[in-house]
Amino acid sequence: MSTQQMKGPVNAAMMAGMAALVIGGGLALVNLMSSGHAAFNTGSSGITWGLPVVGYVFFVLTSTGLTFVASLAMVFGIKEFYPIAKRCIWLALVTLVAGFTCLALELGHPFRMLWAIPTSFQYLSPLNWMGLFYAAYMVLLLLKFQKVNGGDWDSSGSRTLGIASFVSVVIAHGTLGGVFGAMAMRPMWYGPIIPLYFLLTAAVSGAAFAVLITYLTYGNESFMPAKVKNLMKGAMPKVFAAVLGIVILAVVSRTMIGLWSNADGLQVWDHVVASPWYWIELILMVAAFFMLLNGGSPFFPSIMVIISLFIGRYEFLISGQAVPLFKGTWVTGLIDYMPSVTEWMIVLLAVGIVLAGWAFGEKSLNLAAEPAEK
Amino acid sequence: MARWGMVIDLDKCTGCQACSTACQMENNRLPGENYQDVLYYTEGKQPTPVLKWFPRPCMHCEEPSCMHVCPTKATFKTEDGVVLIDWNKCIGCKYCMIACPYGVRFYTDEKPLVEPNIKDVYPGEGDLSWNPPYKGPQQDNAHGVGIQPHGVVSKCTFCYHKISKAPKGIADLSNDDAANREFVPACVRTCAPTARYFGDLDNPKSNVSRLISDKRGVRLLDHTGNKPQVYYLSGGAGPAVPSGRGGANKA
Ligand code: SF4
Ligand code: SF4
């Protein structure tokens, strides 16, 4: 498979990615060096986990979803997905790095974390397990990519690595869901179904990114190899639509329960549905769903879903903290929050990592490779 | 071993904020990051809204959710029942701030609530977030006592630098006991109407145990299961524990 087939804007993505890396990374670092986390608009009387954590959740769940897509071929043996499997693994790695970068810049002591979490091993903390399993997932994913990159798709070692990375990420995203789902004092997040909700939204996120990147790689359908085109016209949009449909139901049902319940803390749902962003999120999802059902190109639906998911992650993270906890007159209503420039720059940096990382892979790692026909 | 706890009599509390001020001086805290605060809030709607106040330290919970979520065990409970933070281990993930149902934890690398930022006037040396002209207790990072370093979370320590020096086996730490007055937490020490009591909850003869049983002490948001070691007395003469956690409560 040669790179000549790729007519997509890979070079442009590389340039844009580098620009985002330099601008986002540069500004974020300068601001963080000069004022520390005071460059964020988060606060002890305000929102504790701000936009960088939104970015973290968005990107690591995207990574999770991309591994799901790759696993359709490599774990579940659905051969149609092989032509995009290697690209999905690479992108899963890249989005994971982007997510971890957001998190590292949000922590007070990222380097201390490297020894303090493993040596303490607080088994009660969902965060401990999340760290453990996402770290394991990263290592397994790297090893799996290395195998595939060396042309070893099917040896028992390679298959085991594929299965192990799939299992580790299912657990990892579940523990991330637990970080929120276990919080009875934050009713908007609370509930045993949150890990499952993360699983579904991660899957949609992965499907959307897989489609988007495939189209960006080839430019348009006419440049796609037959197998890729068949996938983008056949199985991919069907899987995408099916999971998206369930996600829409999940979003609507969370909204209904949230609006209906009187539990203290859920009053924030009135505020959520009063915001145009909620409706943009919902309309984009529903419209994308019907576009996929109508059998058109999944390209635009993928972009719509990615935007919608980002809004959804923001809404989940920020609204979940918007009802203040005993702040008296320091905070009289719901907590107001607008991310600062530094916070946005961290997300831009993460976007830069994804774009440049993907373009690098496309240019140098032959991401279109697939196992030889038997 | 004692299990330290506090009793706050809401019928006696006048909302004067002397406790908050004493705590601020003792622990070098600034507005918006008060370990101890008296919260003002309104309950009820027109035509019968009532202005109320509510003194709120860290509850030093029996089952502290802040400790359970802490991935580094930086938040821990001492043998004598006090929840503390080891600033040498805290990574500033702020999960504890998410998980505390009472909003009593502070990450101070943030925009100040009150301008101008006094911390800029007295910039800290090394890792410390500022260097106030008057410093309270000795710096003890392993127990989260002293000036807060950058990148970590802080909270009320029950004035651990004082109470940990009290004679073993003592039932109560109170102003009435002249010999041990130095060991009384700053908020209790300064409370003019004596609305605050501090003592050993496990000692049935302590004044705090007696008050809790005689006057039916209640705990804030008991349904969270955190089981605070701070009890409130409310005889119904006006003040009461709030019905919700503040903000836009549902009617
Ligand atoms: S009140 Fe909050 S910070 Fe204090 S012990 Fe309980 S959960 Fe932890
Ligand atoms: S911020 Fe510090 S004390 Fe709080 S959970 Fe994280 S490591 Fe523990």
Side-chain angles (χ1 to χ4, degrees):
Chain A
M1 195 70 49
S2 75
T3 41
Q4 274 95 53
Q5 280 181 344
M6 322 248 153
K7 301 272 199 253
V10 176
N11 287 327
M14 181 58 108
M15 301 291 281
M18 294 309 269
L21 273 176
V22 172
I23 298 173
L27 282 176
L29 285 182
V30 166
N31 289 350
L32 284 173
M33 302 284 233
S34 62
S35 20
H37 281 147
F40 288 5
N41 283 347
T42 49
S44 302
S45 299
I47 296 294
T48 303
W49 281 346
L51 186 65
V53 181
V54 176
Y56 165 70
V57 173
F58 178 79
F59 285 113
V60 296
L61 286 182
T62 298
S63 169
T64 305
L66 284 161
T67 297
F68 289 169
V69 176
S71 300
L72 288 175
M74 296 194 305
V75 176
F76 299 102
I78 307 175
K79 292 207 167 62
E80 286 100 312
F81 285 87
Y82 266 125
I84 60 166
K86 186 177 176 189
R87 183 170 294 120
C88 284
I89 307 178
W90 175 249
L91 214 62
L93 270 171
V94 169
T95 45
L96 191 62
V97 170
F100 282 163
T101 305
C102 292
L103 187 68
L105 293 175
E106 205 270 345
L107 289 178
H109 287 285
F111 295 111
R112 190 178 286 174
M113 168 186 76
L114 299 177
W115 62 262
I117 293 188
T119 57
S120 313
F121 207 78
Q122 170 54 290
Y123 69 93
L124 290 171
S125 172
L127 217 58
N128 171 56
W129 294 105
M130 182 198 80
L132 186 76
F133 280 100
Y134 267 114
Y137 163 63
M138 179 143 186
V139 172
L140 291 167
L141 205 58
L142 252 169
L143 293 175
K144 176 72 191 181
F145 185 80
Q146 198 192 24
K147 287 266 183 215
V148 167
N149 200 34
D152 173 7
W153 291 76
D154 250 351
S155 72
S156 72
S158 180
R159 291 182 70 84
T160 311
L161 276 174
I163 295 172
S165 43
F166 175 73
V167 171
S168 68
V169 81
V170 168
I171 303 177
H173 99 276
T175 54
L176 176 56
V179 165
F180 299 97
M183 296 297 100
M185 61 298 289
R186 306 277 182 181
M188 198 213 186
W189 293 343
Y190 180 54
I193 302 298
I194 292 298
L196 203 58
Y197 179 71
F198 273 25
L199 181 122
L200 290 168
T201 49
V204 165
S205 195
F209 268 85
V211 168
L212 175 69
I213 295 296
T214 305
Y215 275 83
L216 287 184
T217 301
Y218 296 101
N220 63 48
E221 280 157 15
S222 54
F223 295 115
M224 287 179 192
K227 279 200 235 162
V228 176
K229 191 166 165 183
N230 286 344
L231 176 62
M232 289 297 136
K233 291 255 153 218
M236 188 77 221
K238 287 198 191 113
V239 173
F240 190 3
V243 191
L244 182 57
I246 306 176
V247 166
I248 294 171
L249 287 179
V251 169
V252 171
S253 100
R254 290 191 68 230
T255 313
M256 301 304 285
I257 302 280
L259 286 173
W260 185 88
S261 171
N262 275 334
D264 186 24
L266 287 182
Q267 58 270 48
V268 72
W269 277 101
D270 298 334
H271 180 73
V272 170
V273 297
S275 156
W277 290 108
Y278 174 81
W279 297 102
I280 295 172
E281 175 198 351
L282 200 61
I283 289 166
L284 283 176
M285 268 193 194
V286 172
F289 177 71
F290 283 109
M291 285 163 77
L292 288 170
L293 282 194
N294 277 342
S297 153
F299 175 65
F300 285 109
S302 75
I303 296 178
M304 291 155 69
V305 165
I306 288 169
I307 297 172
S308 170
L309 283 170
F310 190 84
I311 300 173
R313 300 274 184 244
Y314 184 95
E315 180 186 280
F316 181 87
L317 249 292
I318 305 304
S319 307
Q321 306 166 63
V323 182
L325 290 162
F326 298 103
K327 294 297 172 190
T329 38
W330 292 115
V331 187
T332 45
L334 293 177
I335 295 170
D336 278 334
Y337 169 73
M338 278 282 269
S340 70
V341 173
T342 308
E343 291 174 79
W344 279 114
M345 288 303 117
I346 289 174
V347 172
L348 184 65
L349 167 66
V351 172
I353 291 173
V354 174
L355 280 177
W358 163 64
F360 169 79
E362 215 60 74
K363 282 165 161 302
S364 330
L365 295 170
N366 189 20
L367 298 184
E370 56 179 311
E373 295 282 350
K374 282 188 199 138
Chain B
M1 191 52 87
R3 188 165 61 89
W4 295 118
M6 191 179 282
V7 171
I8 304 178
D9 189 336
L10 296 176
D11 286 340
K12 283 169 140 191
C13 172
T14 60
C16 71
Q17 291 279 28
C19 49
S20 309
T21 312
C23 174
Q24 247 173 318
M25 293 305 291
E26 185 69 36
N27 295 297
N28 298 101
R29 307 305 296 174
L30 292 171
E33 54 174 55
N34 295 315
Y35 288 166
Q36 153 59 43
D37 204 349
V38 179
L39 304 172
Y40 296 93
Y41 61 103
T42 316
E43 293 248 298
K45 286 192 172 146
Q46 285 294 358
T48 54
V50 186
L51 174 69
K52 296 191 174 182
W53 56 92
F54 185 66
R56 183 241 53 199
C58 163
M59 305 289 157
H60 294 272
C61 305
E62 281 171 37
E63 295 288 344
S65 44
C66 59
M67 178 177 95
H68 296 153
V69 300
C70 177
T72 64
K73 292 191 179 160
T75 293
F76 64 101
K77 202 161 168 67
T78 63
E79 278 191 336
D80 45 2
V82 181
V83 178
L84 297 175
I85 303 169
D86 181 345
W87 282 336
N88 299 320
K89 281 174 96 180
C90 174
I91 58 170
C93 68
K94 307 180 215 87
Y95 195 14
C96 52
M97 295 172 64
I98 294 285
C100 166
Y102 306 104
V104 302
R105 291 181 153 252
F106 306 95
Y107 186 74
T108 58
D109 298 71
E110 49 194 43
K111 300 206 163 66
L113 206 60
V114 176
E115 300 272 8
N117 189 1
I118 194 136
K119 288 182 181 167
D120 290 342
V121 184
Y122 301 103
E125 281 155 25
D127 210 19
L128 301 186
S129 59
W130 67 311
N131 184 22
Y134 164 80
K135 279 202 240 359
Q138 296 266 299
Q139 194 73 21
D140 177 4
N141 281 8
H143 294 93
V145 171
I147 307 293
Q148 181 166 354
H150 285 295
V152 298
V153 169
S154 65
K155 64 181 271 301
C156 155
T157 64
F158 266 175
C159 284
Y160 200 69
H161 53 288
K162 289 165 164 269
I163 61 169
S164 57
K165 300 201 183 85
K168 301 288 162 246
I170 194 165
D172 289 283
L173 291 175
S174 114
N175 285 339
D176 297 340
D177 175 2
N180 294 309
R181 216 172 265 162
E182 265 312 306
F183 312 123
V184 178
C187 56
V188 181
R189 179 95 194 257
T190 202
C191 179
T194 325
R196 287 179 180 249
Y197 306 86
F198 192 83
D200 181 0
L201 295 174
D202 278 351
N203 183 340
K205 297 213 173 74
S206 69
N207 196 24
V208 281
S209 298
R210 207 178 41 76
L211 282 167
I212 292 165
S213 56
D214 288 358
K215 297 199 169 183
R216 300 209 188 122
V218 292
R219 311 195 267 200
L220 184 59
L221 294 191
D222 223 358
H223 69 272
T224 62
N226 274 38
K227 303 203 175 103
Q229 287 173 193
V230 173
Y231 288 75
Y232 291 94
L233 307 180
S234 164
V241 291
S243 59
R245 58 183 179 170
N249 286 325
K250 283 201 165 170

